[in-house]
Amino acid sequence: MLIMILSGYIYMKRSCGDRNIRTAWFNVDFLLPIICFALLFGVRYDVGNDYESYLEIYDGYSHHSVVRDDLEVGFKLITQLMAESGMHYSFYFSLIAFLQIFLIYYTFRKEGYLFPFLAFMIMSGAFLGWMSVIRQSLVWCLFVYAVPFIKQKKFIPYMLCIAAGYTLHRTALLLLPLYFIFKSGKDFFRNIPLQLSLLFMSLLLSGVSIWSQYLKNIDVILNLIGLGDRYNNVESVLTLDEDYVYGPRTWLIFLLNIILILYSNKVKDTFSSSNIKIYYNLYFIGSCINLLLVGNHALQRPLLFFVNMNIIVFSYLLVYLWKYGGKSILHTAAFLLIIAVQLINFGTTIYLGDQERMKATYHFWWEQT
């Protein structure tokens, strides 16, 4: 985390003073954090809930046997080629981690002011999700790269990105209509009282089992996006977890969303030349629906494409509070609160790392038992 933040700060200082920004990204302060991230999460062992299943698939291909026959063609090809060539699985996981972080960094290469904050947001929580939901997280990173094509109205490049994503995970199909929704450039959420009302309404209705009557054909959608095998019992999919506990972390994240909403218009206006409007609209929609479906992992799973945008929108907010908001006790307090909540999240991840549901305790592959 420290290496990535420091490198991001150096990149920020250098890129802001470099008029030839198109070549500014190809430097050690851009590449070092990418290499560190890829290396660290390549040589890990059993970090992330899905690690063992992907390792089993890789070992299967290395012995010319098929463990799963439902893998998408692109992901299967990458896995099979590397496994059958005799490469150690650490190279395989390094490649995936490299693609994830490179896509994010390359997307924002012209917005160097974001880099230290992007590094902080990724390493204070998001990284564990990337290590668990590997394929869908990789598709999300590809989607982040594709979002600028929406604003530029470049339909073919956007569709090529989604097609590439579909070969990695079929949930990429959910991203198809987003081009037509956002290409107009309209900001759907500028009314702050409306946003606050929707957020609080989502909280009040969360965990209430009122969705089954509207989602009778959810199995068709789950099969279409490749989650049918995992959630093949429709009744269990529609059953919300009534035992979900709204702990301190839940309320802190809710508070951060309120702060984000209050500052949203100022942030979007400050960075009007960026794609913040699209990222913000996606995140706000995802946050509300995610709250409604709290405790139901099956229905929340596709929302990762939206909820994961918190990395980006809060990075913009941090930059605004740090540099553009002016000297204010409220700005400073909001900035410090976001940092503190992320560090608490990071600390909790480490503290609970040994628990089966977390799989967050870091081990090198040569330490396996």
Side-chain angles (χ1 to χ4, degrees), residues 16-83:
C16 289
D18 190 345
R19 295 181 179 179
N20 190 16
I21 192 66
R22 288 178 295 179
T23 59
W25 69 272
F26 194 77
N27 211 303
V28 65
D29 45 42
F30 180 90
L31 297 175
L32 179 61
I34 293 175
I35 293 170
C36 287
F37 186 91
L39 181 64
L40 183 68
F41 292 112
V43 298
R44 77 191 191 275
Y45 183 80
D46 203 18
V47 179
N49 289 321
D50 294 339
Y51 181 91
E52 289 184 345
S53 62
Y54 283 106
L55 181 58
E56 184 182 5
I57 293 169
Y58 192 83
D59 284 340
Y61 280 122
S62 65
H63 293 92
H64 303 282
S65 63
V66 177
V67 176
R68 283 181 57 178
D69 58 3
D70 62 335
L71 286 179
E72 289 80 0
V73 61
F75 196 83
K76 176 183 176 181
L77 181 62
I78 294 171
T79 306
Q80 191 171 7
L81 285 175
M82 295 189 71

Side-chain angles (χ1 to χ4, degrees), residues 146-275:
V147 163
F149 295 133
I150 299 177
K151 185 176 180 179
Q152 297 164 10
K153 294 183 172 59
K154 294 183 177 180
F155 177 71
I156 293 178
Y158 180 83
M159 293 305 296
L160 287 174
C161 288
I162 302 308
Y166 183 74
T167 69
L168 301 171
H169 200 270
R170 277 179 282 175
T171 50
L173 278 177
L174 297 172
L175 306 175
L176 282 173
L178 298 182
Y179 177 88
F180 304 99
I181 294 172
F182 292 107
K183 73 171 184 175
S184 66
K186 182 179 180 181
D187 187 359
F188 295 96
F189 297 104
R190 283 197 69 88
N191 187 316
I192 290 178
L194 174 62
Q195 291 181 70
L196 290 172
S197 299
L198 290 173
L199 186 68
F200 277 96
M201 190 181 303
S202 300
L203 178 66
L204 290 173
L205 294 175
S206 64
V208 180
S209 300
I210 62 175
W211 317 113
S212 56
Q213 58 181 315
Y214 304 108
L215 299 170
K216 293 298 184 181
N217 296 319
I218 191 67
D219 56 328
V220 176
I221 299 174
L222 291 173
N223 282 319
L224 185 65
I225 61 176
L227 298 177
D229 291 339
R230 184 184 292 265
Y231 307 111
N232 52 14
N233 187 326
V234 178
E235 293 301 320
S236 66
V237 168
L238 299 178
T239 301
L240 297 179
D241 184 3
E242 302 294 345
D243 296 326
Y244 183 83
V245 178
Y246 294 85
R249 290 173 66 192
T250 304
W251 295 114
L252 285 172
I253 292 172
F254 187 78
L255 177 59
L256 292 192
N257 281 330
I258 294 175
I259 293 172
L260 177 66
I261 290 172
L262 294 175
Y263 280 103
S264 60
N265 288 341
K266 293 180 179 178
V267 172
K268 284 183 282 188
D269 291 341
T270 301
F271 303 102
S272 57
S273 62
S274 72
N275 299 289

